[in-house]
Amino acid sequence: MDTKLADAADIAVTEAPPPRRVWPAIRRFFSAPAALLGAVGLLLVIGAATFAPLISPQDPYDLMQLDIMDSRLAPGSESFSGVPYHLGTDGQGRDILSGILYGLRTSLIVGIASAFVAALIGTTAGLMAAYMGGRTETFMMRLVDLQLSFPTILMALMVLAILGNGVTNVVLAIIVAEWATYARTARGTALVEREKEYIEAARCLRIPGHRVLLRHLLPNCLAPIIVIATMQVARAIGLEATLSFLGLGASVTQPSLGMLIANGYQYLLSGLYWISFYPGIALLITIVSINLVGDRLRDVLNPRNAR
C-alpha cells in the first residue's frame, strides 16, 4: 500500500509540462533569425563531422598517405599524383579540408563528452547539496567555491601536466575544470524548487529522498542546466583548441582544430595564411553556432519570457 501511495504521489506532485507546450516552444525558438542561423550552422558542422570519412579527400590519421613533397601547397593546388587540395596543405602535407573535417569530430567529441559528464557530476552534487542542506551543503559548496577560485585554463593545465596529452585526458581535464559551474547552477535552482508545495507534499508522504531528487527536483531544474550545458559545449571546444594550440591537447596523429591552427602559426608571417586561417574559420563557425543556439534556448526556456 505504501508503494502505491508513493507512486500516486509521484504522479500528483511532479510538475511535468504538457506536450502541447512543446511545439509552441519550438516555434518560438525558430522565430528568431539568429537562432535559425545558429541551428543551420550547427547541423552543417555536425553533418560534416559525422560523414567526414565519406566526404574528406584524405584520411589525416593515416600517416602513410602523407607526402612531404605536398607540404605547404596553396589552396587549389594539385599533388604530384593529381589529387586536388581545395584548401591547401600544411607543413606535413596534410590536406587542410580533410584535417578540418576530422578535426571537427575530435573537437565535438571533446566538447559534448566533457559537457555531459561534467553536467552529470555537477548537477548531482548541486541537487544533493540543496536537498540535504546542513553540513553536507556547506562542505559541497565550499568545495565548489574552491574549484571556481582557480582559472579554468590553469586547472586544465594542472591536470594535463599530471596526466599527459591525449583526447581522453583533455576530456578529464575539462570535466575537472567545469563541473563546479553546473553544481552552483543546480543548487541555486533546487533551493527555489525545494520550498514549493509539491516538494513539501512529497516529504509529507515520506517518499524516499532519491525519488524526490530524480523525479521531482531534477525535472524542474533541467531548463537552466540544459542552457548551461549548451554554452559549456562551445566553451569546452574553445578550451580544447587552446590546450592543443599550447601543445597539451590532442596528439599529432589525431588532429583537432586547435592543433591545425597551431601547425600554421609559425607560417602566418610567411604568407602561408591558409594553414591556420581555414581551421580558425571552422572553429569560429562552430563556437558561434553553438552559442547562438544556447542563447536562444535561454530565452525560450526562461519562464519569465513565456507568453
Side-chain angles (χ1 to χ4, degrees), residues 142-263:
R142 296 295 79 77
L143 186 63
V144 169
D145 292 339
L146 178 64
Q147 171 72 44
L148 294 176
S149 65
F150 290 92
T152 302
I153 184 65
L154 178 60
M155 180 62 65
L157 288 174
M158 292 169 58
V159 174
L160 288 176
I162 299 173
L163 300 179
N165 293 21
V167 173
T168 302
N169 293 339
V170 171
V171 172
L172 292 176
I174 297 176
I175 292 171
V176 172
E178 297 291 350
W179 71 271
T181 303
Y182 296 96
R184 173 167 287 183
T185 302
R187 183 244 184 186
T189 307
L191 284 177
V192 177
E193 296 293 328
R194 187 182 67 178
E195 305 302 324
K196 293 185 178 180
E197 291 80 3
Y198 70 95
I199 296 296
E200 293 297 328
R203 286 175 170 173
C204 291
L205 291 171
R206 297 184 180 275
I207 296 177
H210 68 276
R211 296 180 66 178
V212 177
L213 285 174
L214 295 178
R215 301 189 62 174
H216 305 310
L217 266 181
L218 179 60
N220 292 286
C221 296
L222 277 180
I225 294 173
I226 291 174
V227 175
I228 293 293
T230 305
M231 297 293 191
Q232 288 296 333
V233 171
R235 181 179 172 87
I237 291 174
L239 181 58
E240 183 278 328
T242 302
L243 294 172
S244 296
F245 185 83
L246 295 175
L248 295 173
S251 61
V252 178
T253 58
Q254 190 171 4
S256 66
L257 294 179
M259 193 199 71
L260 294 175
I261 295 173
N263 286 342

Side-chain angles (χ1 to χ4, degrees), residues 18-70:
R20 64 174 180 269
R21 296 182 184 177
V22 175
W23 288 113
I26 294 176
R27 288 196 296 268
R28 285 178 55 208
F29 178 87
F30 288 106
S31 63
L36 181 60
L37 179 63
V40 171
L42 184 57
L43 287 176
L44 290 176
V45 168
I46 294 176
T50 303
F51 300 103
L54 301 177
I55 61 179
S56 61
Q58 181 190 81
D59 183 0
Y61 295 135
D62 188 1
L63 299 180
M64 298 300 295
Q65 294 186 15
L66 304 183
D67 189 350
I68 194 64
M69 299 298 295
D70 295 334

Side-chain angles (χ1 to χ4, degrees), residues 109-137:
I109 288 173
V110 169
I112 295 174
S114 60
F116 176 79
V117 178
L120 185 63
I121 297 173
T123 301
T124 302
L127 292 179
M128 290 181 60
Y131 184 75
M132 299 177 68
R135 294 182 178 180
T136 301
E137 181 182 13

